[in-house]
Amino acid sequence: MKNKVVIPREVAESPCSTDEIRAAAERLRDVVVYTPLLNSPALDARLDARVFVKAENLQRIGAFKFRGAYNFLSRLSPAKRGRGVVAYSSGNHAQGVAYAAHLLGIAATIVMPEDAPKVKLEGARRWGAAIRPYDRKTESREAIAQELASATGATLVRPFDDPDIIAGQGTVGLELAAQLEEAGHSADLLLVPCGGGGLLAGVSTAMRELSPETRIFGVEPENYDDHRRSLKAGRRVRIKGDSFTRCDALAATIPGEITWSVNRRNVNGFITVSEAEVGTAIGFAARHLKTVLEPGGAVALAAILHEKLPARGKTIAIVASGGNIDNALFTACLRDYSS
Amino acid sequence: MKNKVVIPREVAESPCSTDEIRAAAERLRDVVVYTPLLNSPALDARLDARVFVKAENLQRIGAFKFRGAYNFLSRLSPAKRGRGVVAYSSGNHAQGVAYAAHLLGIAATIVMPEDAPKVKLEGARRWGAAIRPYDRKTESREAIAQELASATGATLVRPFDDPDIIAGQGTVGLELAAQLEEAGHSADLLLVPCGGGGLLAGVSTAMRELSPETRIFGVEPENYDDHRRSLKAGRRVRIKGDSFTRCDALAATIPGEITWSVNRRNVNGFITVSEAEVGTAIGFAARHLKTVLEPGGAVALAAILHEKLPARGKTIAIVASGGNIDNALFTACLRDYSS
């Protein structure tokens, strides 16, 4: 019976716990950026609210994805480390895996779309990852990655639907809860960008335990509202996903199985924002928060700026999940932005 | 003899002390942003050094100037508060005084050049300050401010040459020393932007005491190198100041009397950077630090990026002093930036 794995009932039911997140935080302690909470008197005055922005664009590789990737990779056995890792990603998970692999001395191959933002392609290459480009219209990144993994014995690092990835991302929530408490605040609302749902699953797990009174919302681009539809339908809904979005980091077409099992219990609702609203948020962040956000990283700020939820008098925490934006798109957002 | 003011010898000799800076930090505690130290593995790899960026662009009003302004204003008597304050500034001191006055319920009038960056004019207006525009070519801002002060009984808030202003700016150095120590680092080099020299005087005073082994450099735009020339000449040198610079925050033409008396003892040297080097630093900061810097706030980063001092193997602290840049100039820097 030595090798039988017994899964305790509560773990089987909840693939993510705050204790797992705390363990991830321990693993990450010496390599992660404990990102600051930004705020802006101009923003607070405009909304008549207190808004705190967890600036994960200031995380290693410019996005929260490093947390989950490092947590996952650091748990691999020496034998598995020796056979390398494979990942697929539009860019931030790619960079997270590449940089974590660099730190841990693991070979990494990343399957990335040919049209990924240049800053993300460069970021992944900088840390020595091999890039396998693919055509988003004709090829399946999952299939390519699975094939590479099978051929080489490399471990596949899923972008969100994995307990270790979710626990790593959840450390954002641990820090946020501690920072708010230290500042003497309690969040009425929390808004988190949502693509595959990994960040939301981790953060909502930590916040549900540490700040149970906070209402939690996922934010999606309006063309990629699979979570909103899934919540309404009471089951995971796949959308077509052939619409345009500048939020490349959030262009998932169906909630993850594991992430959904967490999010459907933790989250109070989903909100969508338009491409134009996201552009305004990027301009606002540069002007008033002096910080650089990518479209996918700016959706929660966009939601609150455009008052998708009643904000007045409330204490609001939002996660700004990444800042990897090409200069052409960034300058377009800055040009369109006024006041 | 009751009204005779006795100036103790050590105060007359040193108009700024670390104890004064600590007292300023106490006054500022509940209103200031304890700004983060940013760093970037990409920057460290490029220079083969460890670089820490004290991000004062994330300070209230987007620049360190709030610290000195609040420290000064908070020490005014109720009677003086009632008569209001007057300041002159290209923009960051303006915003600092305006916001500090707003917090303390003091009326503020600011003399600002007509061609100040729009973001700075807006920032000062946002907090209720009355703006008195002037023509930089034909009018003296000092004379206008002095006249307003005399006419109304308002207190003049000098932009840098004042012990309370210097002590307030020095809190940047207190935080920096504490943050470096907490992270287990000791800075070999410290680079600080230098216009009138107030920030440098305060920061260098704190760092001389708390980190005596650190070599300290002021950084100026090459067209406004009055400190560099003064150090060479052994006395305060005034430059013509009719050259162009995008570093509006650093376009002082002569070191302050008080600031110079501090800086000439504390500072190891002065470095200059070109306008093009500053533009590159702004692009680099957006790309790799995900942060928005104005030209005057980016000079220290520009100096280290362009290896004006030997960096290899060193631990280097730099102050990024502000991020109030108009979108037109910001987008121009982003367009010119590559890699």
Side-chain angles (χ1 to χ4, degrees), chain A residues 36 38-39 41-42 57-58 60 62 99 119 122 126-127 286-292 323-324 327 330-331 334 337, chain B residues 36 38-39 41-42 57-58 60 62 99 119 122 126-127 286-292 323-324 327 330-331 334:
Chain A
L38 308 180
N39 71 335
N57 58 322
L58 301 178
R60 293 283 169 255
Y99 186 58
V119 63
E122 278 168 21
R126 178 176 301 119
W127 304 113
R287 172 66 56 85
H288 293 289
L289 297 165
K290 311 298 175 196
T291 208
V292 178
N324 293 310
N327 279 354
F330 191 29
T331 55
L334 293 172
Y337 182 77
Chain B
L38 307 181
N39 71 336
N57 59 321
L58 302 179
R60 294 281 168 257
Y99 185 56
V119 63
E122 277 169 20
R126 179 176 301 119
W127 303 114
R287 172 65 57 86
H288 293 289
L289 297 165
K290 310 298 175 195
T291 208
V292 178
N324 293 310
N327 280 354
F330 191 30
T331 56
L334 294 172

Side-chain angles (χ1 to χ4, degrees), chain A:
Chain A
M1 297 300 281
K2 212 170 150 196
N3 289 319
K4 193 177 167 191
V5 178
V6 179
I7 302 174
R9 194 179 166 75
E10 66 272 33
V11 173
E13 281 184 348
S14 174
C16 180
S17 73
T18 307
D19 282 345
E20 283 295 335
I21 297 171
R22 287 198 185 94
E26 270 307 302
R27 287 179 208 111
L28 281 160
R29 200 174 44 185
D30 293 336
V31 292
V32 81
V33 178
Y34 195 99
T35 53
L37 273 193
L38 308 180
N39 71 335
S40 151
L43 175 56
D44 289 1
R46 176 171 158 160
L47 296 173
D48 191 12
R50 291 194 80 108
V51 182
F52 297 95
V53 180
K54 180 67 171 162
E56 279 297 297
N57 58 322
L58 301 178
Q59 187 50 260
R60 293 283 169 255
I61 68 98
F64 72 95
K65 288 281 190 180
F66 169 68
R67 297 176 184 259
Y70 189 90
N71 188 49
F72 183 99
L73 265 60
S74 68
R75 301 196 72 185
L76 291 179
S77 67
K80 282 193 171 177
R81 290 188 188 198
R83 288 194 294 274
V85 295
V86 174
Y88 51 86
S89 160
S90 79
N92 282 335
H93 180 57
Q95 293 182 83
V97 170
Y99 186 58
H102 164 78
L103 292 179
L104 294 164
I106 299 173
T109 303
I110 322 273
V111 182
M112 287 181 81
E114 290 163 344
D115 61 349
K118 281 191 205 70
V119 63
K120 295 183 178 180
L121 283 160
E122 278 168 21
R125 281 204 190 93
R126 178 176 301 119
W127 304 113
I131 307 299
R132 161 65 166 89
Y134 77 99
D135 182 334
R136 284 199 296 136
K137 301 214 174 61
T138 61
E139 296 183 278
S140 157
R141 61 186 196 171
E142 289 87 346
I144 298 169
Q146 194 65 66
E147 200 176 307
L148 282 167
S150 303
T152 63
T155 301
L156 182 66
V157 193
R158 290 193 170 72
F160 49 83
D161 217 16
D162 178 281
D164 286 331
I165 296 289
I166 295 170
Q169 323 303 28
T171 59
V172 172
L174 272 194
E175 292 179 14
L176 177 62
Q179 288 168 307
L180 287 169
E181 194 185 337
E182 200 185 319
H185 297 293
S186 167
D188 300 305
L189 300 175
L190 167 65
L191 285 80
V192 182
C194 183
L199 176 65
L200 182 59
V203 171
S204 67
T205 296
M207 287 292 282
R208 268 283 154 270
E209 177 168 333
L210 301 170
S211 182
E213 72 290 354
T214 302
R215 296 177 71 220
I216 302 174
F217 294 84
V219 187
E220 298 175 296
E222 61 186 9
N223 288 340
Y224 285 80
D225 62 342
D226 47 302
H227 281 82
R228 190 185 65 77
R229 287 168 191 254
S230 297
L231 194 68
K232 205 171 165 189
R235 60 179 174 81
R236 291 162 66 228
V237 170
R238 185 186 294 276
I239 59 166
K240 268 180 88 178
D242 52 359
S243 301
F244 172 74
T245 183
R246 297 190 293 197
C247 303
D248 60 281
L250 305 181
T253 54
I254 184 167
E257 274 187 63
I258 302 173
T259 56
W260 181 248
S261 75
V262 176
N263 287 328
R264 70 184 172 82
R265 283 184 297 206
N266 286 349
V267 172
N268 295 88
F270 290 91
I271 302 164
T272 64
V273 290
S274 72
E275 299 293 310
E277 288 165 344
V278 170
T280 300
I282 290 170
F284 184 94
R287 172 66 56 85
H288 293 289
L289 297 165
K290 311 298 175 196
T291 208
V292 178
L293 300 184
E294 65 180 276
V299 294
L301 178 60
I304 208 67
L305 272 178
H306 293 91
E307 304 189 53
K308 303 275 170 151
L309 292 170
R312 176 164 295 186
K314 295 211 163 61
T315 298
I316 302 164
I318 66 185
V319 179
S321 51
N324 293 310
I325 184 171
D326 280 345
N327 279 354
L329 176 55
F330 191 29
T331 55
C333 294
L334 293 172
R335 261 200 310 272
D336 291 348
Y337 182 77
S338 59
S339 118

